[in-house]
Amino acid sequence: MRARFFSLALLTTAATAAAQPAPLSPDWIAGYWLSCDNGAQVAENWLGAGTGTLLGTNFTQGEQASYEFLRVAANGRGGISYYSMPNGAPVTEFTMTSNENRRAVFENPAHDFPQRVIYWRDGGRLHARIEGEISGRLESQDWTFRRSRPDQNCPR
């Protein structure tokens, strides 16, 4: 009788865990996006919508060129994280703390800068913001991207 009760309890627990929806990936960032602000051309390309993993690249051309490999995927703790590798540096993980109304926030309070990465969609525009504290002061950087094609560049 005890074995039957224990088996029933395990099946109920497994069914409850399976019934809980997995966190949703911010698939609305998928596409090719171009920012032409402040004399720089910044292109982000995100693919993989609907797969549970988004892969992204960021390429900035301005006074200095830089690149970043990005990934948004399950983190092994039942959530989703944003993984960043700027200019070939080791990966930094930012845990998704919210994803509502086409606005996603990823945080890593232990990181030097930034501590937050935020994306939000406004129609055909994708906004990105990094923010955090440097020497006790809140610092941030913002980008506004327009949906584009990979063969398009900013006007000169």
Side-chain angles (χ1 to χ4, degrees), residues 3-156:
R4 190 177 292 168
F5 177 75
F6 183 68
S7 296
L8 182 58
L10 280 176
L11 287 173
T12 303
T13 302
T16 302
Q20 294 176 356
L24 295 176
S25 178
D27 287 347
W28 43 264
I29 69 173
Y32 187 84
W33 302 93
L34 187 63
S35 173
C36 300
D37 297 334
N38 304 318
Q41 177 172 302
V42 182
E44 282 204 9
N45 190 22
W46 289 94
L47 56 99
T51 67
T53 299
L54 292 164
L55 297 177
T57 57
N58 175 296
F59 181 51
T60 300
Q61 298 175 28
E63 286 184 27
Q64 295 182 337
S66 64
Y67 66 93
E68 188 169 7
F69 296 113
L70 306 162
R71 180 171 46 105
V72 175
N75 59 23
R77 297 181 304 278
I80 291 178
S81 288
Y82 176 97
Y83 300 91
S84 170
M85 295 174 61
N87 296 312
V91 67
T92 300
E93 178 183 0
F94 296 84
T95 303
M96 187 169 69
T97 57
S98 68
N99 179 16
E100 297 177 4
N101 301 317
R102 290 187 165 196
R103 183 178 188 275
V105 179
F106 304 89
E107 298 187 49
N108 180 342
H111 190 250
D112 55 359
F113 183 84
Q115 287 97 38
R116 273 173 304 290
V117 177
I118 306 164
Y119 281 91
W120 68 97
R121 264 294 284 282
D122 175 18
R125 293 190 178 143
L126 178 69
H127 302 273
R129 178 182 177 89
I130 57 172
E131 62 184 28
E133 286 190 21
I134 299 177
S135 301
R137 291 184 35 199
L138 181 64
E139 300 287 339
S140 64
Q141 189 171 1
D142 294 276
W143 296 267
T144 299
F145 297 92
R146 295 181 190 271
R147 188 172 290 282
S148 188
R149 295 186 331 257
D151 63 341
Q152 289 182 319
N153 291 304
C154 295
R156 294 186 182 217

